[in-house]
């Protein structure tokens, strides 16, 4: 900026700035490219991505949020869409890819509206109205009163196409059982479901443990490897002589004093172990260390002990066994102990693990997941985590919708009717929103190798008879998704539409991007004609 021939600098040298349509085009392009990146993973016939980090570690997955987290994304608008996926994952556990591709398509549709000189604020207002109406349409087409069979179908739908095909039905039953065990009425705390994984076996060998599995071993070989009718003590302090909190120096002038000092330490440790034994405990889980001498005395007392157990595992053990976590051993009483039918150390794939089982009225359970290799078991765990999230959401809401693109077609159809009741340019934005929703069935068709245009036309026609008509990607035909058992929680769709529309609205309202020099956003402008890639993004 210059005034009277003198330049006036407001921003520091090296700052990148894009204004108006340039800023909007760049942001929209970033959103579109990010959506295209994960789009091929959608649905049962979706493909996987292999992600390799700087250290050469490999992740093979088609889970949308995992892909976006692992990618090194720099563009600020693209980062906002990653937040959409993360929110979807935190709130529901599934539908992350759906949320991102809807957001990307909303941005794509807004481009033609902007080219028609429709103000971004008008588009954002139209999108907001359309999103609110879409939520109301979802309420209309939702199926109420969910039973166990429907919950199993919800879990199977969430796991379809995620590397669990061979055993999705038994896994789905385990997941539903796990969620029902930890559910408190209509409230499900999924933190109470621990997932422990170990490779070296087929996925069908996965099982549900009514208790907790700890990936640790007993601290002393002389301790029993199996204890029935276990009385369990949980201690979150160290079983050793504490060092003084202030620097202290002890002066010893003759060997007798040294011997007395050592004996005193031994007696203190012996007293600690005696307190544990006096409480009636025969199993000890310590959050911190256990002194070598304490290990010896515990072994002689016939107590199985495990040290350095994670805080989260201690909390799960407390909920599973009913034990109270004790900080000071002086306070340990029989009433603080938890109970389990059996605590056993087992060797799984060459590693020792502690199984705490047969916990009556356990409010914390463990899914023990097996797989033939590390990468396979990791992908199975991601699929199970998604399924746990959707089953928990279904239990809480007691409402589901059909899958296979059926709700998106129903919403698009009704939104187009709704658009006719809106005057002004917002009508065009509502219509654009309706068309954007059709990206879900269109992508399902494309990923299955079907003709997306024919599939969309058939779906629209079939929806005249029923809102449950969706795309069966295995047969390539339009079918009743409710009868086919392709069921999803209403919350997945609701959250995806809400977060996608809000992100698109926010990006559309940006007309000025100021990136300070040296920042992650300090990048060359993108070429709008770029096909299939965006180097600055990764």
């Amino acid at each position: 900026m210059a005034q009277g021939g003198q330049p006036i600098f407001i921003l520091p040298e090296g700052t990148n700035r894009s204004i108006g349509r340039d800023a909007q085009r760049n942001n929209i392009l970033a959103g579109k490219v990010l959506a295209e990146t994960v789009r091929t993973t959608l649905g049962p016939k979706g493909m996987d991505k292999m992600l390799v980090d700087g250290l050469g570690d490999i992740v093979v997955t088609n889970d949308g949020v995992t892909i976006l987290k692992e990618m090194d994304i720099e563009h600020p608008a693209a980062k906002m869409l990653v937040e959409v996926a993360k929110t979807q994952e935190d709130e529901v556990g599934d539908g992350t890819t759906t949320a991102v591709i809807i957001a990307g398509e909303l941005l794509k549709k807004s481009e033609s509206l902007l080219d028609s000189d429709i103000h971004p604020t008008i588009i954002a207002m139209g999108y907001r109205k359309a999103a609110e109406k879409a939520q109301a349409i979802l309420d209309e087409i939702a199926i109420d009163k969910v039973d166990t069979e429907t919950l199993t179908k919800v879990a199977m739908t969430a796991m379809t196409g995620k590397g669990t095909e061979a055993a999705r039905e038994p896994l789905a039953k385990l997941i539903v059982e796990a969620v029902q065990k930890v559910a408190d009425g209509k409230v499900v705390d999924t933190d109470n479901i621990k997932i422990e994984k170990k490779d070296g076996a087929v996925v069908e060998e996965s099982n549900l443990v009514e208790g907790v599995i700890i990936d640790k071993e007993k601290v002393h070989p002389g301790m029993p490897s199996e204890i029935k009718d276990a009385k369990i003590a949980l201690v979150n302090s160290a079983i050793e002589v504490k060092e003084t909190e202030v620097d202290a120096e002890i002066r010893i002038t003759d060997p007798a004093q040294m011997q007395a000092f050592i004996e005193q330490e031994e007696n203190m440790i012996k007293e600690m172990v005696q307190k544990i034994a006096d409480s009636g405990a025969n199993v000890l889980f310590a959050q911190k260390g256990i002194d070598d001498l304490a290990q010896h005395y515990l072994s002689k007392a016939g107590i199985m002990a495990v040290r350095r157990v994670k805080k989260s595992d201690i909390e799960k053990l407390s909920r599973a066994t009913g034990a109270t976590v004790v900080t000071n051993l002086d306070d340990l009483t029989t009433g603080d102990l938890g109970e389990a039918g059996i605590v056993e150390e087992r060797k799984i794939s060459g590693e020792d693990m502690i199984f705490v089982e047969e916990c009556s009225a356990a409010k914390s359970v463990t899914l023990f997941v097996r797989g033939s290799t590390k990468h396979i078991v990791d992908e199975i765990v991601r699929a199970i985590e998604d399924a746990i999230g959707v089953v928990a959401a279904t239990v809480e809401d007691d409402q589901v919708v059909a899958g296979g693109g059926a709700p998106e077609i129903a919403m698009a159809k009704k939104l187009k009717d709704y658009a006719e009741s809106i005057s002004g340019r917002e009508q065009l934005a509502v219509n654009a929103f309706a068309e954007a929703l059709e990206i879900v069935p269109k992508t399902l068709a494309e990923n299955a190798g079907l003709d997306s245009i024919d599939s969309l036309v058939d779906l629209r026609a079939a929806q005249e008879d029923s809102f449950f008509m969706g795309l069966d990607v295995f047969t390539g035909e339009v079918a009743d998704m409710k009868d086919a058992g392709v069921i999803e929680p209403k919350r997945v769709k609701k959250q995806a539409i809400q977060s996608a529309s809000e992100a698109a609205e926010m990006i559309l309202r940006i007309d000025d991007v100021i990136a300070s020099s040296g920042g992650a956003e300090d990048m060359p402008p993108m070429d709008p004609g770029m096909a299939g890639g965006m180097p600055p993004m990764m």
Side-chain angles (χ1 to χ4, degrees), residues 286-516:
Q287 193 177 321
K288 295 179 182 172
I290 299 177
D291 186 86
D292 289 351
L293 193 59
Q295 293 175 25
H296 167 71
Y297 287 130
L298 285 165
S299 174
K300 286 185 73 175
I303 297 170
M304 182 198 286
V306 182
R307 65 179 166 184
R308 306 205 186 282
V309 180
K310 289 187 292 187
K311 184 182 178 185
S312 59
D313 286 346
I314 290 279
E315 289 168 356
K316 287 181 176 68
L317 281 165
S318 175
R319 286 192 288 266
T321 65
T324 304
V325 183
V326 175
T327 301
N328 190 338
L329 283 177
D330 292 334
D331 299 331
L332 182 66
T333 64
T334 306
D336 294 322
L337 303 182
E339 295 182 352
I342 184 169
V343 176
E344 185 180 7
E345 182 183 70
R346 298 177 198 160
K347 196 171 282 293
I348 307 289
S349 298
E351 291 183 27
D352 292 319
M353 301 179 86
I354 304 291
F355 285 70
V356 182
E357 295 183 282
E358 297 174 21
C359 303
S360 56
K363 278 295 174 188
S364 180
V365 297
T366 303
L367 272 167
F368 189 39
V369 183
R370 306 305 305 273
S372 54
T373 70
K374 179 181 177 295
H375 293 120
I376 288 171
V377 81
D378 284 347
E379 181 66 348
I380 292 167
V381 166
R382 282 189 282 270
I384 286 173
E385 285 171 345
D386 287 355
I388 288 171
V390 295
V391 171
T394 308
V395 168
E396 290 175 353
D397 297 346
D398 211 21
Q399 283 188 315
V400 292
V401 292
E408 285 82 8
I409 289 289
M411 285 185 284
K413 195 166 171 296
K414 284 178 173 279
L415 277 174
K416 285 171 185 173
D417 295 337
Y418 168 68
E420 292 174 11
S421 67
I422 297 175
S423 59
R425 295 185 171 195
E426 284 177 23
Q427 183 188 89
L428 299 173
V430 174
N431 263 321
F433 194 102
E435 290 169 10
L437 290 176
E438 292 182 342
I439 190 65
V440 175
K442 185 181 176 186
T443 302
L444 287 172
E446 287 176 2
N447 288 351
L450 305 172
D451 187 297
S452 59
I453 303 298
D454 288 347
S455 298
L456 278 177
V457 170
D458 292 344
L459 275 171
R460 287 185 195 129
Q463 285 262 340
E464 294 292 336
D465 301 322
S466 169
F467 295 133
F468 303 141
M469 301 305 284
L471 184 65
D472 186 334
V473 295
F474 296 104
T475 64
E477 302 294 325
V478 172
D480 188 313
M481 292 290 103
K482 187 182 175 187
D483 292 345
V486 182
I487 305 290
E488 297 182 75
K490 186 184 80 173
R491 196 194 293 181
V492 167
K493 300 297 181 189
K494 211 162 188 173
Q495 180 68 38
I497 289 165
Q498 183 179 323
S499 50
S501 64
E502 286 176 358
E505 288 163 32
M506 182 175 282
I507 289 170
L508 279 173
R509 294 171 70 95
I510 297 167
D511 74 340
D512 200 344
V513 178
I514 304 165
S516 59

Side-chain angles (χ1 to χ4, degrees), residues 516-535:
S516 59
S517 65
E521 293 81 20
D522 184 12
M523 60 184 77
M526 288 177 293
D527 175 10
M530 190 187 298
M534 185 170 69

